[in-house]
Amino acid sequence: KETKDQLIIDAGQKHFGATMCKSCGMIYAASNSEDELQHVQHHHRFVEGIKYTGWKKERVVAEFWDGKIVLVLPRDPSYAIRKVEDVQELVDNELGFQQVVPKYPNKTKTLLFISDEKKVVGCLIAEPIKQAFRVLSEPTGPETPSSKECQRAWQCSDVPEPAVCGISRIWVFRLKRRKRIARRLVDTLRNCFMFGCFLRTDEIAFSDPTPDGKLFATKYCNT
Ligand code: ACO
Ligand code: ZN
């Protein structure tokens, strides 16, 4: 069963009258059979991937009115690791990461935000690091390139600064964004990454942030 919302997407005539699936968040043209097929494929994988049935030995590290956060560690049972890998694959797909990274290195900590509807709606993957390079504020001026290709070309300082914890992935399900889920994931990470201390914002670093990631990180670190 799926519900559909008729939306008008302001992205040119091609997408006029596109549909957004309320379960998987994909925007597609229902009138286009190729699009429809792509949706069916994505839909199934996505819905299966984020389904969370509950685990016998789950490590709940935070609870909220609209869900909870569970922590998954490298030596956890394989069903937990498999869930993290499934979610990471969905996230990497969405972010366009192609390379298959070694799965679950032994110092990785993953936080999953589980919604009341028993779905994984947020994911944060972190690992210990020793240093990071500060992202410099973007150059402004008439010669600033604004094409899409340049969106990732942040300028970084070449002076390494000490850091403790690197966030390699942070992701929130499209239909649950701007509900402070990412913020709660990072707050929880700061509290449980190192036993007995609450990390400062300058001790955590976001690796290769996307435009969304950068907007979030800037806001998070300044408040
Ligand atoms: N545009 C502008 N400001 C934003 C945005 C945005 N897209 N996202 C977050 N913020 C700011 C806002 O100030 C927001 O507070 P407000 O809603 O009260 O104004 C504040 O950050 C906190 O935002 P949250 O609600 O906690 O963030 P959310 O749960 O929506 O998740 C995230 C943010 C994870 C970046 C989400 O947009 C996402 O999953 N995007 C796609 C995946 C992605 O790009 N992830 C980052 C990759 S980089 C990396 O992994 C290291
Ligand atoms: Zn769908």
Side-chain angles (χ1 to χ4, degrees), residues 91 94-95 97 121 123 125 152 166-174 176-185 205-220 223:
V91 173
E94 187 175 325
L95 294 178
F97 286 1
V121 296
C123 171
I125 302 178
R152 274 195 184 221
I167 296 178
S168 72
R169 301 281 190 291
I170 183 159
W171 167 88
V172 171
F173 175 36
R174 192 186 300 279
K176 298 279 183 186
R177 287 183 193 161
R178 304 303 286 269
K179 294 180 194 300
R180 314 215 142 199
I181 290 178
R183 178 181 287 277
R184 286 180 276 167
L185 282 166
F206 293 80
S207 71
D208 190 19
T210 58
D212 271 353
K214 201 185 172 214
L215 286 166
F216 166 74
T218 312
K219 179 74 184 186
Y220 183 89
T223 49

